[in-house]
Amino acid sequence: MSANLSAIFYLISGILFILALRGLSSPETSRQGNYFGIAGMLISIIVTFLTVGNFGTGFIYVLIFLVIGGSVGAYIAFRIPMTAMPELVAGFHSLVGLAAVFVAISAFLKPEVFNLGTVGNIKLASLIEMSLGASIGAITFSGSIIAFLKLRGIMSGAPITFKGQHLLNLILGLTTIFLIYYLCATQSSNIFWSIVAISFLIGILLIIPIGGADMPVVISMLNSYSGWAAAGIGFTLENTALIITGALVGSSGAILSYIMCKGMNRSFFNVILGGWGASEQSSISKNNEQKPVKNGNADDAAFLMKNASSVIIVPGYGMAVAQAQHALREMVDALKKNGVKVSYAIHPVAGRMPGHMNVLLAEANVPYDEVFELEEINNDFANCDVAYVIGANDVTNPVAKSDPQSPIFGMPVLDVEKSKSVLFVKRSLSPGYAGIDNDLFYRDNTLMLFADAKKMTEEIVKSL
């Protein structure tokens, strides 16, 4: 295929990727956005194969690994539950970063294959591109692995800090920049491997001090990193589609991270620099003493909601774990039949990644006009009869507004405590992902419903 023709098709795929992002910006158009993205990627893959031309015997190996990788990806996509989607996203980010590292290594060891020069005499621009791609890719890989471990519960979601941590990060960052400069001057393989090794370490150190409450921002940030790594490698390979795709993913991920930080009252630079402004003691909960709580059951909850004029549903990660969205939809339908006005309140970081709750509610066919973001519905809690909180912990915690020592202090939360009655569905009084106690449990207007979210909701439906 000629260079001009491939450029045209790459441009078409780039337009499809832009349309995909546009579609994914709303639940109503997300399915269409996915179709655009699939079409764009299919065109890119086919054009890349036709552009490369004769692989020789290597063509068979490419097809074998393409089939293996595609099969594994398809199997995971079909089998993965929605509760594990954040971990899956973090895992996929790590693979994108690792792929960028491998391509950079290949280009450095065999530059003549990529028309970049010869060993020891690689083009300066290509050397800068591959070293940046390798560094960002390594940071993305190791950072995504830490995010996966935190989200999976294998590693504690609490911030992991130590004295001099930020100074160490700064030294390693400046060292990486210096080594890239030195690599361009000497083209030493030892320097190249040092850049890759230090970048892997930076990725770990950037993510471990970030607490669970900020993990959705981390997922978005790592998404951005993976895009920039892909774009850097795209320049090395002189592949237009990879440059366009990487730039789109990198810029959209950065913008989303900024929007989320603004919505959570977090410093964007603090988060991307590994919690630079966080206190080393802020993750410790000071509220460990036992307090009295009011226990309730399904009949109590059904009575309160059936006699209410308005109910606001606040879904969280507990709903995702229990897969209770369909039972919740049944409960809401039963309430509507009794003339109760029902709305859904979605916090920007409810769950473990942006849009987690929106996807789950859409899966249960919840009408989009009943779902409201925090800033749209927060004032309605004061006039609400019942707030039904189903697994949302940190995003409803009033200490975010009252305790300066809390790790979530300053983060906008849903004002559920202002409702006349609060029904809180939770398995126990255990703290949320941020590792702190929720003051809402002990309020006079709160009735705790200790049970699995799906089982409790189904029992409420029966009572209704």
Side-chain angles (χ1 to χ4, degrees):
M1 181 178 289
S2 67
N4 289 337
L5 194 58
S6 63
I8 292 173
F9 279 110
Y10 278 146
L11 179 60
I12 294 172
S13 68
I15 294 172
L16 288 171
F17 290 140
I18 294 173
L19 292 174
L21 285 176
R22 179 68 182 87
L24 291 171
S25 65
S26 169
E28 296 172 306
T29 58
S30 59
R31 188 181 297 273
Q32 186 183 54
N34 271 316
Y35 289 144
F36 282 132
I38 292 170
M41 185 56 66
L42 189 61
I43 292 173
S44 298
I45 293 173
I46 294 173
V47 173
T48 299
F49 267 100
L50 295 176
T51 302
V52 172
N54 184 23
F55 280 94
T57 56
F59 182 75
I60 303 298
Y61 292 107
V62 172
L63 284 181
I64 290 173
F65 286 113
L66 192 65
V67 171
I68 292 174
S71 300
V72 171
Y75 176 79
I76 292 173
F78 276 114
R79 293 296 301 273
I80 199 76
M82 277 305 304
T83 51
M85 193 58 67
E87 296 100 290
L88 178 67
V89 172
F92 281 171
H93 288 166
S94 72
L95 295 178
V96 174
L98 191 61
V101 174
F102 283 156
V103 172
I105 292 173
S106 300
F108 183 78
L109 296 179
K110 297 287 185 180
E112 61 276 2
V113 176
F114 299 90
N115 298 319
L116 305 178
T118 58
V119 176
N121 190 31
I122 302 174
K123 299 175 185 177
L124 178 61
S126 300
L127 204 58
I128 294 173
E129 292 159 4
M130 72 174 68
S131 57
L132 285 175
S135 179
I136 299 173
I139 291 172
T140 304
F141 173 75
S142 55
S144 297
I145 293 298
I146 297 300
F148 174 86
L149 296 175
K150 281 176 172 277
L151 290 166
R152 197 68 179 172
I154 299 173
M155 178 183 288
S156 172
I160 300 173
T161 59
F162 55 86
K163 190 174 181 180
Q165 185 175 31
H166 300 316
L167 179 61
L168 176 60
N169 289 346
L170 179 62
I171 292 173
L172 290 176
L174 294 175
T175 301
T176 303
I177 295 173
F178 171 76
L179 288 177
I180 291 175
Y181 170 79
Y182 195 60
L183 175 68
C184 294
T186 64
Q187 302 207 11
S188 167
S189 60
N190 290 333
I191 298 298
F192 178 79
W193 292 115
S194 298
I195 292 171
V196 174
I198 292 174
S199 298
F200 279 130
L201 180 59
I202 291 174
I204 295 173
L205 294 175
L206 281 177
I207 305 302
I208 59 173
I210 300 178
D214 293 326
M215 196 51 63
V217 182
V218 173
I219 295 294
S220 177
M221 180 184 69
L222 290 170
N223 178 51
S224 178
Y225 287 173
S226 68
W228 297 124
I233 295 303
F235 280 105
T236 300
L237 300 179
E238 297 182 352
N239 186 291
T240 307
L242 201 53
I243 295 171
I244 294 174
T245 306
L248 285 173
V249 173
S251 57
S252 61
I255 293 170
L256 178 60
S257 299
Y258 175 77
I259 292 173
M260 293 179 66
C261 283
K262 188 176 180 180
M264 295 169 61
N265 196 27
R266 289 286 191 265
S267 168
F268 178 69
F269 290 103
N270 283 355
V271 174
I272 65 173
L273 294 176
W276 184 274
S279 169
E280 294 182 5
Q281 303 298 323
S282 63
S283 63
I284 301 175
S285 176
K286 295 183 179 181
N287 198 6
N288 293 323
E289 69 273 11
Q290 293 294 322
K291 298 179 182 179
V293 297
K294 295 179 181 178
N295 293 344
N297 54 38
D299 292 333
D300 298 328
F303 177 80
L304 283 172
M305 287 193 283
K306 189 174 182 178
N307 289 281
S309 60
S310 63
V311 172
I312 298 179
I313 310 291
V314 183
Y317 188 66
M319 182 191 76
V321 172
Q323 289 288 286
Q325 62 269 27
H326 297 285
L328 185 65
R329 171 66 193 273
E330 289 182 40
M331 186 189 80
V332 170
D333 289 342
L335 289 173
K336 288 180 180 177
K337 290 179 181 178
N338 285 283
V340 180
K341 178 186 176 183
V342 183
S343 304
Y344 297 82
I346 307 295
H347 193 279
V349 295
R352 297 284 174 84
M353 65 181 292
H356 198 179
M357 295 301 104
N358 301 79
V359 173
L360 288 174
L361 294 179
E363 185 183 352
N365 295 317
V366 172
Y368 298 123
D369 58 359
E370 295 177 5
V371 181
F372 299 92
E373 299 295 331
L374 179 145
E375 63 274 5
E376 298 174 315
I377 200 171
N378 224 14
N379 292 331
D380 294 348
F381 282 104
N383 301 316
C384 170
D385 293 314
V386 178
Y388 186 75
V389 183
I390 180 166
N393 200 331
D394 296 325
V395 298
T396 61
N397 197 337
V399 300
K401 297 176 286 186
S402 60
D403 184 4
Q405 300 303 314
S406 170
I408 63 171
F409 179 72
M411 182 180 82
V413 293
L414 292 162
D415 296 332
V416 294
E417 77 278 3
K418 295 181 180 179
S419 303
K420 293 179 182 178
S421 298
V422 178
L423 300 174
F424 208 120
V425 184
K426 204 172 184 297
R427 290 179 181 271
S428 67
L429 290 175
S430 59
Y433 198 57
I436 56 173
D437 206 15
N438 192 341
D439 187 55
L440 183 62
F441 298 160
Y442 315 106
R443 297 293 177 99
D444 292 335
N445 61 333
T446 299
L447 191 66
M448 297 300 298
L449 306 174
F450 293 113
D452 173 82
K454 183 178 181 181
K455 183 179 180 181
M456 174 57 70
T457 305
E458 288 174 343
E459 290 178 358
I460 292 174
V461 172
K462 293 178 182 177
S463 297
L464 287 172

